Amino acid sequence: MGAPMGLLEIRGVVKSFGGLRALQDVTFSVGQGEIRAIIGPNGAGKSTLFNVMTGLFPPDSGEVVFGGERISGVPPHRIIRKGIGRSFQITNIFPRMTVFENVQVALFAHHRSSRDPLGMARRYPSVAAETLDVLRQVDLAEKHELSASILSHGDQKRLEIAISLASRPRLLMLDEPTAGMSRFESRETVELLRGISREQGLTLVFTEHDMDIVFGISEKIVVLQQGAVIADGTPAEIKANPQVRKAYLGEEIQA
Amino acid sequence: MAAFFDVSFLTVQVLSALRQAAFLFLISSGLTLVFGVLNILNFAHGSLYMLGAYFIYALTLHLTGPAGFVIALLAAPLGVALVAVVIEMGLLRRIYIQEEIYQLLLTYALVLIIHDMAKIVFGPEFKSIPKPRAIGGAVTIFGGTVPVYTLVVVVLAPLVALLLWYLLYRTRTGKIVRATSSDREMADALGINMSALFTLVFAFGAMLAGFGGALAGPARTVFPSVGTEVIIECFVVVVIGGLGNLWGALVGSLLIGTLETVGIIVFPEFEMSFIYLLMVVVLILRPWGLFGRPLKVKALAEKNLGMEAQEISPVHFSVRPLVRMIPLVLLLIVPLFAGRYYQYLLTQILIASLMAVAFNLLLGTTGLLSFGQAAFYGAGAYTVGLLATKTGIGSLSSLLLAPLVAMVVAGIIGFFCIRLSGVHFAMLTLAFGQLVFAIIYKWYNFTGGDNGIQGIPVRPLPGGIDIGSNLSMYYFALAAVAVAVEILRRIRSSPFGATLKAIRENNQRAEYLGVNVKLYQWTAFVIAGAFTGLAGGLYALMEKSISPDIILWTKSAEPVLMTIIGGIYSFAGPAVGAVVFIVLNSYLVAWTENWALVLGLILLAMVLMLPGGAVGFVNEKARGAFGKMGWVRRWAFSKSGAS
Ligand SMILES: Nc1ncnc2c1ncn2[C@@H]1O[C@H](COP(=O)(O)OP(=O)(O)OP(=O)(O)O)[C@@H](O)[C@H]1O
Ligand SMILES: [Mg+2]
């Protein structure tokens, strides 16, 4: 014990699918305002960890603690309410709603106006303004009238980030936020995330396969391999860690 | 009860249960196979069974003697398979990419079409099929008299099951079929020729149904609506066993066959309720059926994103308030110049519209396909009927209680159904609907059973306003429906409604907005149930007599049809569909015996050509002319853009 408690604590999390041990005794902690990367080869268990942390399914054992409160076993909608936003590896948006509506509905949920069954959704000027603010943050304001399904892949990814940001989370968890984006789009998105994290003191946990991005913005990195944590430290420590180099990063880092 | 343990009696009953199970298995194995591979719950499967029976009827008219019978027994299913190939290649194939509901609807259209075609070709009367003398008699087993034909059935069905097992587990094609059924994506990745496989499986499933029909025909009688009777029983079987699972179909058939036989002996007054009760209980305990596993569905978003091709009115299309008033003005004036019959017809349309608009809060807005709306309609109608006949309560008060009772019923049913999704949700609502039907049908002392309630008194409203005449009833209904529809419209365009839409689009993402998805779905279910109950209450006042028929599943199908005809993504769509449906219904009934055929053809055309429905289609055309951005949004955009 002794060490100060982080905003997010993962303690001894185990998760199996049938015979497959997707997560074995995963433990680490994320501090307030930290930018934290979770890396590891395909199938290492990164998305599974995200899913456990956000309540898609409970861990077999171990616990997840957020802001001092145990959240493992709590259904996703209640976890989100505690101040966590997330995006998915496979883009997860509301395809046949407009870009505007995608974010607007997130704000309704956040402000609990979702419960209002008789007011007109269009007569919520403050939500409308806020929606456009959020869209402007991710540079989608000009496209707010388009149907989300016709956006480019990169725009859809950014829209999902906007949806997750709408609830003003304390912790934002992004599963491969730049997957499938062009180099240019990736850079922009990374800058965007760094900016938001700095401005709002937002804690950011993300997975990513692009090592330039990982080492470019993260303050701490945890490395998973076959469901187990094999390293946890600053980018410099991770670069120097022989086990990581051998197991996963290989030559890539030295370059 | 002593007789129950009598060996001869027991033998007869066991064989009769097995015979029933045998028929059920033949039909439902095809149904479940098709579902497993094509992911389509085929409503027309019962109609294919019916065709099998008619084919053997037609064939045995010419082929006589034992040899003729055997040939007919083999040829009939082949004929059915041929029909199935035409259906699959000509129709179904065009809509595989569409949402589930359109596939269901297409097969439902086929039910209507095949039903009337059979009626045209073979006539509406019962037909019996002569058995060759060799298998026409009876034998005595353990002192019980058993028809030889029963033995034939009880022996043949397991042979077919064995053949099925061999084909699926011992042949290459069979292995592919099983692989596809357990993991479609994997099969896709392996480069299996899907379209040939689909045709093959659909035809094979149809052949099983056809064989079931050919075998059952000589034992039972044949008439055009056997198809719709048998399909519901088979739904129960496959849902209990687990959709897509052959073992489940086998066990389900045995269970239902036994239960039906025992039920008739022990509790004759409850026979049918048992199987629905069993289904409800099984689904509550094991939502995916006894042998089923949760469907491995592609990530929803991914699937939806693939549907750009049929993008439907994504931008909110608003009609100017003045334009919106036109229909209301017409509704106020027209009846004054219409005859009494038209006043009655218009009242019917109003009630149907309410039912359809309420239903669409579930389907179009929340993305839930309920197939049990008749339960709430019936709850409302019986509330009014019972209160009016058993108490002196006023018509208005009883009408106001109707939605409350329906709401309670919907709250209970919804609690269980909401845990499921997609086809399973639809099936469970169907089962509950049928259960409510069975209860009301059998509860003679209280509900009047199949006699229904006659002579429901219509009492004046407070203030002495009489609503006895057709015209005044029309205005009364108009007032009630207008208020109800306006509330539903507001719900749909409220933040709550926007949240429901988000749930429809992607319930996982909605959950990750912090929305308690199940609670919202349940709430929508209860609201829709309440308004459906109001529609039912109005119906009881309008007709002044009700019967349990209004709770049958065919009644539940009506709002589905209206909504699809009118368009699920527009608010007014279902109401327009109701107009079309009621007008068609009353005119076609007068004009032709085969109105189901016409309706089926229209439905088929809608599903294939205008998946957005009539209103969706018009909207699309009109959007260029009338569409405009919501003013608040425009205002907010300009304002915040400037700062
Ligand atoms: N719902 C599930 N059911 C069964 N197995 C699963 C499930 N989700 C993940 N797995 C398995 O768990 C292991 C870890 O998968 P996970 O998706 O977490 O890896 P990942 O690190 O996110 O990989 P990638 O970099 O490819 O996204 C894999 O072997 C995967 O097949
Ligand atoms: Mg992953």
Side-chain angles (χ1 to χ4, degrees):
Chain A
M1 291 280 123
M5 197 153 87
L7 178 67
L8 181 71
E9 300 268 342
I10 319 294
R11 297 179 186 151
V13 164
V14 174
K15 179 78 200 175
S16 306
F17 296 111
L20 178 85
R21 281 211 145 199
L23 295 175
Q24 349 197 356
D25 196 16
V26 173
T27 300
F28 64 93
S29 131
V30 180
Q32 166 71 42
E34 191 176 302
I35 299 185
R36 158 78 74 160
I38 299 175
I39 62 171
N42 289 111
K46 303 177 298 286
S47 298
T48 305
L49 184 58
F50 262 54
N51 290 337
V52 169
M53 289 193 285
T54 55
L56 193 64
F57 34 68
D60 297 341
S61 65
E63 60 175 359
V64 181
V65 176
F66 174 68
E69 241 184 303
R70 186 191 164 119
I71 57 167
S72 34
V74 175
H77 66 267
R78 299 243 307 274
I79 292 184
I80 299 303
R81 290 239 169 264
K82 293 181 194 300
I84 296 181
R86 86 163 277 189
S87 75
F88 291 79
Q89 183 167 348
I90 296 168
T91 316
N92 215 348
I93 54 175
F94 304 111
R96 279 172 304 176
M97 289 163 53
T98 63
V99 169
F100 183 88
E101 287 167 336
N102 265 269
V103 174
Q104 184 195 36
V105 76
L107 284 164
F108 282 146
H110 176 56
H111 294 305
R112 308 211 163 216
S113 15
S114 294
R115 292 171 179 173
D116 173 4
L118 294 176
M120 296 290 279
R122 285 176 299 149
R123 304 271 159 79
Y124 268 81
S126 66
V127 169
E130 207 179 335
T131 302
L132 289 166
D133 279 343
V134 174
L135 285 175
R136 210 165 287 122
Q137 273 190 320
V138 297
D139 223 5
L140 280 175
E142 297 299 326
K143 299 184 178 164
H144 75 282
E145 271 195 274
L146 298 182
S147 166
S149 61
I150 61 170
L151 293 183
S152 71
H153 179 76
D155 281 350
Q156 286 183 346
K157 279 253 157 200
R158 282 216 305 279
L159 176 59
E160 191 175 359
I161 294 175
I163 293 171
S164 318
L165 276 175
S167 60
R168 309 237 168 256
R170 280 191 287 161
L171 168 66
L172 184 60
M173 309 207 347
L174 305 173
D175 199 352
E176 303 201 12
T178 69
M181 284 189 183
S182 71
R183 201 121 198 108
F184 176 71
E185 282 177 318
S186 297
R187 293 258 158 259
E188 275 198 325
T189 308
V190 169
E191 281 318 310
L192 165 85
L193 291 175
R194 200 207 303 262
I196 293 170
S197 165
R198 199 174 295 145
E199 275 167 38
Q200 306 177 358
L202 181 75
T203 311
L204 191 63
V205 174
F206 70 105
T207 72
E208 184 57 67
H209 281 294
D210 183 332
M211 287 308 134
D212 289 345
I213 294 178
V214 170
F215 286 96
I217 70 166
S218 48
E219 292 158 1
K220 287 188 100 180
I221 298 174
V222 63
V223 187
L224 282 181
Q225 194 195 7
Q226 295 182 359
V229 176
I230 59 167
D232 179 2
T234 62
E237 286 166 354
I238 296 298
K239 268 188 198 172
N241 185 318
Q243 210 189 341
V244 175
R245 300 184 104 144
K246 188 161 140 274
Y248 171 48
L249 295 169
E251 304 305 301
E252 213 174 319
I253 278 190
Q254 294 161 345
Chain B
M1 284 312 277
F4 202 67
F5 301 102
D6 184 66
V7 178
S8 63
F9 178 77
L10 214 57
T11 311
V12 172
Q13 295 310 327
V14 166
L15 282 171
S16 119
L18 283 178
R19 188 186 78 159
Q20 180 65 2
F23 289 142
L24 284 174
F25 175 72
L26 286 175
I27 314 164
S28 43
S29 58
L31 184 66
T32 215
L33 198 64
V34 167
F35 182 84
V37 175
L38 282 73
N39 238 317
I40 289 179
L41 193 64
N42 184 10
F43 264 99
H45 200 71
S47 311
L48 297 170
Y49 159 90
M50 176 255 279
L51 281 184
Y54 271 122
F55 284 176
I56 198 171
Y57 165 76
L59 287 167
T60 47
L61 288 181
H62 307 286
L63 305 166
T64 48
F69 186 79
V70 172
I71 294 174
L73 192 61
L74 295 176
L78 287 178
V80 175
L82 219 63
V83 173
V85 169
V86 173
I87 291 174
E88 200 277 339
M89 293 179 65
L91 302 170
L92 269 182
R93 184 171 287 188
R94 295 161 185 267
I95 58 162
Y96 284 142
I97 50 148
Q98 305 255 10
E99 280 165 275
E100 249 161 26
I101 169 107
Y102 292 105
Q103 299 161 3
L104 273 181
L105 255 289
L106 189 138
T107 65
Y108 188 78
L110 289 174
V111 170
L112 298 174
I113 293 169
I114 296 176
H115 175 274
D116 271 16
M117 298 279 267
K119 201 166 76 181
I120 293 168
V121 175
F122 298 103
E125 63 281 350
F126 289 56
K127 298 270 192 246
S128 53
I129 297 150
K131 297 179 271 268
R133 199 170 309 128
I135 51 173
V139 289
T140 308
I141 305 176
F142 296 122
T145 311
V146 180
V148 175
Y149 198 71
T150 296
L151 297 179
V152 172
V153 173
V154 170
V155 170
L156 271 183
L159 286 180
V160 172
L162 219 62
L163 178 71
L164 200 58
W165 175 83
Y166 175 81
L167 289 175
L168 282 174
Y169 285 79
R170 288 288 176 268
T171 64
R172 209 183 102 76
T173 314
K175 282 175 188 155
I176 295 175
V177 168
R178 281 190 303 134
T180 313
S181 147
S182 63
D183 192 338
R184 171 105 62 116
E185 276 161 71
M186 178 66 94
D188 245 336
L190 291 176
I192 289 166
N193 181 347
M194 285 296 189
S195 69
L197 187 73
F198 280 16
T199 313
L200 180 75
V201 169
F202 192 76
F204 188 72
M207 200 161 77
L208 285 168
F211 186 65
L215 203 58
R220 305 166 168 180
T221 49
V222 196
F223 48 95
S225 47
V226 282
T228 42
E229 280 173 19
V230 89
I231 190 66
I232 296 296
E233 256 177 303
C234 288
F235 279 169
V236 174
V237 166
V238 298
V239 168
I240 285 179
L243 275 169
N245 188 300
L246 271 174
W247 293 114
L250 184 64
V251 173
S253 305
L254 286 168
L255 268 176
I256 296 297
T258 312
L259 200 63
E260 283 179 350
T261 313
V262 174
I264 289 172
I265 306 164
V266 185
F267 301 105
E269 63 273 35
F270 293 121
E271 32 161 316
M272 283 309 269
S273 353
F274 273 126
I275 69 169
Y276 300 119
L277 197 61
L278 177 70
M279 174 169 170
V280 165
V281 169
V282 166
L283 288 192
I284 287 170
L285 298 177
R286 290 191 59 97
W288 313 106
L290 293 175
F291 293 81
R293 275 169 299 142
L295 288 181
K296 198 171 169 189
V297 214
K298 251 187 177 183
L300 187 77
E302 210 182 343
K303 188 176 160 202
N304 282 353
L305 285 173
M307 294 197 321
E308 283 162 37
Q310 41 136 12
E311 182 63 30
I312 297 153
S313 313
V315 176
H316 187 80
F317 168 69
S318 59
V319 186
R320 288 187 180 83
L322 221 61
V323 180
R324 212 187 291 143
M325 296 308 275
I326 293 177
L328 190 61
V329 172
L330 284 178
L331 284 171
L332 279 172
I333 298 174
V334 166
L336 294 174
F337 305 100
R340 290 191 45 209
Y341 173 71
Y342 288 98
Q343 291 162 358
Y344 169 74
L345 194 70
L346 282 166
T347 314
Q348 266 189 313
I349 288 177
L350 287 174
I351 295 172
S353 304
L354 176 55
M355 189 182 190
V357 171
F359 165 79
N360 202 36
L361 181 70
L362 295 179
L363 180 63
T365 309
T366 319
L368 290 172
L369 172 57
S370 164
F371 234 100
Q373 293 306 97
F376 316 127
Y377 191 74
Y382 271 84
T383 302
V384 167
L386 290 170
L387 283 173
T389 48
K390 292 188 195 269
T391 72
I393 191 175
S395 291
L396 184 62
S397 318
S398 65
L399 185 66
L400 291 176
L401 284 171
L404 291 181
V405 172
M407 202 163 155
V408 172
V409 176
I412 297 168
I413 294 180
F415 176 80
F416 294 109
C417 296
I418 287 307
R419 305 188 308 163
L420 301 179
S421 55
V423 175
H424 288 90
F425 173 82
M427 288 298 108
L428 189 54
T429 52
L430 175 76
F432 267 113
Q434 290 292 90
L435 188 63
V436 171
F437 166 77
I439 291 171
I440 290 192
Y441 189 79
K442 291 293 177 186
W443 198 356
Y444 252 97
N445 302 335
F446 187 57
T447 63
D450 56 357
N451 293 329
I453 302 174
Q454 258 71 44
I456 297 169
V458 176
R459 305 195 173 95
L461 303 182
I465 304 166
D466 177 67
I467 51 169
S469 75
N470 276 9
L471 187 62
S472 52
M473 178 58 77
Y474 169 83
Y475 281 113
F476 178 62
L478 179 62
V481 171
V483 170
V485 166
E486 175 61 15
I487 294 174
L488 282 165
R489 192 184 67 81
R490 295 205 62 148
I491 291 176
R492 190 172 182 268
S493 44
S494 71
F496 176 72
T499 310
L500 293 181
K501 261 183 248 174
I503 291 173
R504 170 195 85 200
E505 283 299 290
N506 186 343
N507 59 28
Q508 185 187 59
R509 183 71 248 185
E511 179 86 16
Y512 277 95
L513 297 180
V515 171
N516 186 347
V517 169
K518 297 284 167 211
L519 181 66
Y520 275 73
Q521 288 176 327
W522 181 80
T523 310
F525 195 79
V526 171
I527 295 174
F531 284 107
T532 308
L534 180 66
L538 282 169
Y539 173 83
L541 286 179
M542 173 189 74
E543 288 288 339
K544 298 172 190 66
S545 77
I546 49 179
S547 80
D549 281 358
I550 58 168
I551 315 175
L552 263 182
W553 72 273
T554 40
K555 185 74 192 177
S556 291
E558 284 179 15
V560 186
L561 300 182
M562 295 169 191
T563 301
I564 294 297
I565 292 174
I568 72 173
Y569 293 121
S570 54
F571 180 73
V576 172
V579 175
V580 174
F581 184 86
I582 297 287
V583 170
L584 273 183
N585 195 340
S586 26
Y587 282 90
L588 290 178
V589 165
W591 177 63
T592 156
E593 300 244 284
N594 306 308
W595 79 276
L597 176 66
V598 181
L599 183 65
L601 289 171
I602 292 174
L603 206 57
L604 199 64
M606 299 301 307
V607 171
L608 291 176
M609 297 185 302
L610 307 175
V615 174
F617 177 75
V618 175
N619 258 2
E620 205 87 317
K621 297 278 161 234
R623 198 160 74 221
F626 298 110
K628 57 183 170 33
M629 222 200 280
W631 68 269
V632 170
R633 203 190 301 169
R634 211 169 7 168
W635 169 80
F637 189 61
S638 61
K639 189 155 175 277
S640 57
S643 62

